[in-house]
Amino acid sequence: ALIDCGVKENIIRSLRRRGVAVTVLPYGTSADEIRDTGADAVITSPGPGDPVLADEEVDVVRTLVREQVPYMGICLGHQLLSRAIGASTHKLKFGHRGGNHPVKDLATGVVHITSQNHGFEVDAESVPEREGWRVSQVNLNDSAVEGLEHASLPMFSIQYHPEGSPGPMDNEYLFDRFIEMIRRHKAQKAGNQ
């Protein structure tokens, strides 16, 4: 299920190109309605606006976290996840716009060139590390949080645009990572039944 907060068509194309059946749902879709689709996972798309004003959607993401539904947040979806886990956000003095933003993956040390379009960021010090959450990627220009992940839950988010249209295409690997995470989660659930 893809929650459309202002989705770019290339996100849908990127998923379908990988054999994923995508059900696009409008912003404001409830957790019960998402569950009713039978979706194996949820992506929340990029979109405009201040995440502090999106309490209803934050509640939906909070439910997904509590139910351990595989989740990928992109841009606004990243900010919604951060608020759902208890982290805070604030407006950037200068938004991140355009391509060529260097982002470092803290686990691998690899630097990716990203495409960005946002005016808010997650407060790194507010990420609840004692609950298994961690900052996974940072912007090398200003140290802004560019990714979150959980140590064991099938969930992660990124601040930039992995679909890269227009922009760098080297971050589409994140869709592959998400699909593999869904497969592992489904296999684990099947093994526990």
Side-chain angles (χ1 to χ4, degrees), residues 30-36 39-42 59-71 81 84 133 153-155 185 189:
S30 72
D32 288 339
E33 291 169 319
I34 294 169
R35 203 176 299 109
D36 289 346
D40 293 316
V42 176
D59 287 341
V60 169
V61 176
R62 189 175 291 121
T63 299
L64 298 173
V65 171
R66 186 172 53 250
E67 295 179 0
Q68 301 183 13
V69 175
Y71 178 86
L81 175 63
W133 292 97
L153 297 178
M155 301 175 173
H185 181 73
K189 277 179 66 176

Side-chain angles (χ1 to χ4, degrees), residues 48-115:
D50 185 342
V52 170
L53 303 176
D55 287 339
E56 189 174 317
E57 198 62 33
V58 168
D59 287 341
V60 169
V61 176
R62 189 175 291 121
T63 299
L64 298 173
V65 171
R66 186 172 53 250
E67 295 179 0
Q68 301 183 13
V69 175
Y71 178 86
M72 178 181 181
I74 302 172
C75 198
L76 180 61
H78 163 74
Q79 297 163 7
L80 295 175
L81 175 63
S82 74
R83 291 202 52 236
I85 64 173
S88 58
T89 59
H90 69 269
K91 188 168 180 53
L92 288 161
K93 183 174 182 180
F94 302 104
H96 294 173
R97 312 279 180 219
N100 297 324
H101 288 263
V103 170
K104 183 176 183 178
D105 183 308
L106 297 177
T108 66
V110 173
V111 175
H112 297 278
I113 301 304
T114 66
S115 176

